Amino acid sequence: DTGVSQDPRHKITKRGQNVTFRCDPISEHNRLYWYRQTLGQGPEFLTYFQNEAQLEKSRLLSDRFSAERPKGSFSTLEIQRTEQGDSAMYLCASSLGAGQETQYFGPGTRLLVL
Amino acid sequence: RKEVEQDPGPFNVPEGATVAFNCTYSNSASQSFFWYRQDCRKEPKLLMSVYSSGNEDGRFTAQLNRASQYISLLIRDSKLSDSATYLCAARGYNKLIFGAGTRLAVHP
């Protein structure tokens, strides 16, 4: 399977714990995006990378959230001191860049904070 | 007002029906538009990109009206397997702005 992959697919944690999610984009895709989706809503943009550079962050991305893409390939999204309001599906997408902007989504990581 | 708004759902239609979804966007700088399909508890999957001239893919037709800032998706001859949530997205600069989605339920 050469699509976007995410790990883990599901995560249950207690309030106050830290969690980290991983995304592996489609090979050779330069751009990688993180979105969050809650029930009954469309995905909301969090942040995006062009290669290893984080070029934009949404104001939804509080200081408890940090994302990295150290070698321009996979990315991690960490949430520190989780809150119940962080419960959502975290979606990763990638695109080729350079004018080819169609974004392809991974299966998501479903987070439940108790 | 949300940047991308869609028809509220759900749409309940019989097999074989034609159904149309509408979507409006507020940012005139939006550069390109997409329809995604999302099944329950799954990721959005690209259904169609939307071009100025309109485009068709089998039973699906998408239209863009830049003057009215309006996008539509028409599904002809609905199948049970078309039941899903349809998300409209506008690309502004580098991110996608999604509507809340419209749920379609096709029944026998």
Side-chain angles (χ1 to χ4, degrees), chain A residues 9-10 31 33 35 37 40-45 48 56 89 91 101-108 110, chain B residues 2 32 34 36 38 40-46 49 87 91-101:
Chain A
R9 297 288 303 275
H10 304 274
R31 296 191 174 187
Y33 310 79
Y35 292 83
Q37 186 175 24
Q41 300 299 316
E44 294 175 293
F45 170 78
Y48 104 94
E56 188 173 348
M89 170 86 98
L91 291 158
E101 298 303 339
T102 301
Q103 295 184 23
Y104 298 93
F105 284 83
R110 191 171 293 277
Chain B
K2 290 190 174 181
S32 47
F34 305 89
Y36 282 80
Q38 187 171 31
C40 189
R41 303 181 72 82
K42 301 283 190 181
E43 75 273 23
K45 290 193 192 271
L46 181 69
S49 302
L87 296 162
R91 190 172 75 83
Y93 302 107
N94 297 299
K95 58 182 180 273
L96 292 177
I97 309 296
F98 284 88

Side-chain angles (χ1 to χ4, degrees), chain B residues 3-77:
Chain B
E3 220 171 309
V4 176
E5 296 200 74
Q6 296 187 238
D7 280 352
F11 282 51
N12 294 297
V13 302
E15 273 185 291
T18 294
V19 61
F21 302 140
N22 300 318
C23 173
T24 56
Y25 62 96
S26 60
N27 186 350
S28 58
S30 295
Q31 299 161 351
S32 47
F33 306 89
F34 305 89
W35 284 101
Y36 282 80
R37 170 197 168 123
Q38 187 171 31
D39 292 294
C40 189
R41 303 181 72 82
K42 301 283 190 181
E43 75 273 23
K45 290 193 192 271
L46 181 69
L47 182 64
M48 298 179 80
S49 302
V50 187
Y51 304 117
S52 298
S53 55
N55 47 305
E56 187 173 317
D57 182 4
R59 298 182 293 108
F60 300 85
T61 301
Q63 296 279 351
L64 166 63
N65 184 322
R66 285 193 185 273
S68 301
Q69 296 184 196
Y70 166 99
I71 306 148
S72 65
L73 177 69
L74 185 76
I75 305 175
R76 290 180 298 278
D77 189 23

Side-chain angles (χ1 to χ4, degrees), chain A residues 48-89:
Chain A
Y48 104 94
F49 293 84
Q50 168 81 30
N51 299 312
E52 66 275 9
Q54 188 174 17
L55 296 186
E56 188 173 348
K57 292 195 287 188
S58 162
R59 56 188 168 81
L60 290 177
L61 213 66
S62 77
D63 57 6
R64 296 185 298 105
F65 288 69
S66 61
E68 294 183 342
R69 194 183 182 196
K71 298 181 181 177
S73 56
F74 74 91
S75 175
T76 58
L77 177 68
E78 182 184 16
I79 309 174
Q80 296 183 324
R81 305 180 303 282
T82 52
E83 300 173 356
Q84 288 182 324
D86 297 332
S87 296
M89 170 86 98

